[in-house]
Amino acid sequence: MFDPQHIHTLQAAIEFVGTLAFAISGIRHAASKRFDWFGGYVCGFAVAIGGGTLRDVTLGVTPFWMTNPIYIECTALALFFVIIFGKWMRWLNNTWLVFDTLGLALFTIAGIQKTLTMGHPFWVAIIMGCITGAAGGVIRDVLLNNEPVIFRREIYAMACLIGGLVYWLLIELHVDITIVVIATFLTVCLIRFLAVRYHITLPLLHKYEE
């Protein structure tokens, strides 16, 4: 079902683009808090590698960013991108949302694929996909002293979960892996964008008096 070489190449590409997207998101958030360049880089790097690091430690393997310096360089590229093009991005009020959603979708896929290639069952892969995608946003919010996004009412980790289920369903139907990745990516992005656009939220827990 999985061509190891094809999956490895796809995994590397997804992790690189996901790192870039999440790093830009983190740096943009840091800029809104008036961080300096170094602070922005640290925030962007922490966001970009946080979910994948937690995934790899849980799976008992070397964190992905420690095997190749390209992820450190990728965050530097994201920093310069924001510095150079930031003022032209201001007309997009929710620019950070775009990059955060791209990173969320890409890292969800990366988490699922890496877990599956290590021989774990799909239910574990879906959980690892959620952790890989959502943990970076939590780390970002902690660093910026904001309420973690997964504890707010907006749809975030739930988009990762649904994307993981779509991935599993298509694999069970023997769909080509490239199409599976594209469909999962679009699913996560669409859910996230629609939830923000139309203020779709999960029900609140109510406090019950004893």
Side-chain angles (χ1 to χ4, degrees):
M1 183 181 296
F2 295 104
D3 177 7
Q5 184 60 41
H6 183 51
I7 291 294
H8 177 74
T9 302
L10 195 58
Q11 178 82 15
I14 288 171
E15 287 190 337
F16 178 83
V17 178
T19 298
L20 183 65
F22 255 159
I24 291 174
S25 169
I27 293 166
R28 287 281 293 170
H29 274 282
S32 70
K33 292 283 188 174
R34 308 297 297 172
F35 281 28
D36 61 19
W37 286 14
F38 181 74
Y41 179 89
V42 170
C43 184
F45 187 64
V47 173
I49 63 127
T53 300
L54 183 57
R55 173 203 64 208
D56 290 345
V57 170
T58 303
L59 295 175
V61 299
T62 302
F64 72 102
W65 61 272
M66 296 177 66
T67 63
N68 193 331
I70 194 171
Y71 301 105
I72 297 174
E73 299 162 359
C74 182
T75 305
L77 178 64
L79 176 64
F80 286 116
F81 178 85
V82 173
I83 291 172
I84 295 172
F85 298 106
K87 63 181 180 180
W88 285 288
M89 296 164 63
R90 289 176 184 171
W91 66 276
L92 291 173
N93 292 328
N94 290 320
T95 301
W96 66 268
L97 173 65
V98 175
F99 289 107
D100 186 61
T101 300
L102 295 178
L104 184 71
L106 290 166
F107 271 11
T108 297
I109 297 167
I112 292 172
Q113 290 187 163
K114 187 164 190 176
T115 307
L116 289 175
T117 56
M118 294 183 64
H120 293 284
F122 242 112
W123 65 270
V124 176
I126 292 174
I127 293 173
M128 288 297 105
C130 290
I131 290 174
T132 310
V138 175
I139 293 172
R140 175 200 64 215
D141 292 336
V142 170
L143 288 175
L144 298 176
N145 198 30
N146 295 328
E147 180 185 8
V149 65
I150 64 170
F151 298 144
R152 302 176 205 159
R153 295 183 62 189
E154 59 184 88
I155 303 294
Y156 195 74
M158 184 59 67
C160 303
L161 176 60
I162 297 173
L165 293 174
V166 169
Y167 191 108
W168 168 76
L169 177 62
L170 294 178
I171 289 296
E172 288 295 309
L173 295 174
H174 304 289
V175 177
D176 181 77
I177 186 62
T178 303
I179 297 176
V180 172
V181 167
I182 293 173
T184 304
F185 174 81
L186 293 176
T187 298
V188 176
C189 290
L190 186 62
I191 291 173
R192 179 78 174 126
F193 287 138
L194 289 178
V196 172
R197 174 65 178 83
Y198 295 104
H199 306 288
I200 301 171
T201 62
L202 296 175
L204 290 176
L205 285 173
H206 293 284
K207 179 181 178 181
Y208 295 97
E209 299 294 339
E210 296 182 0

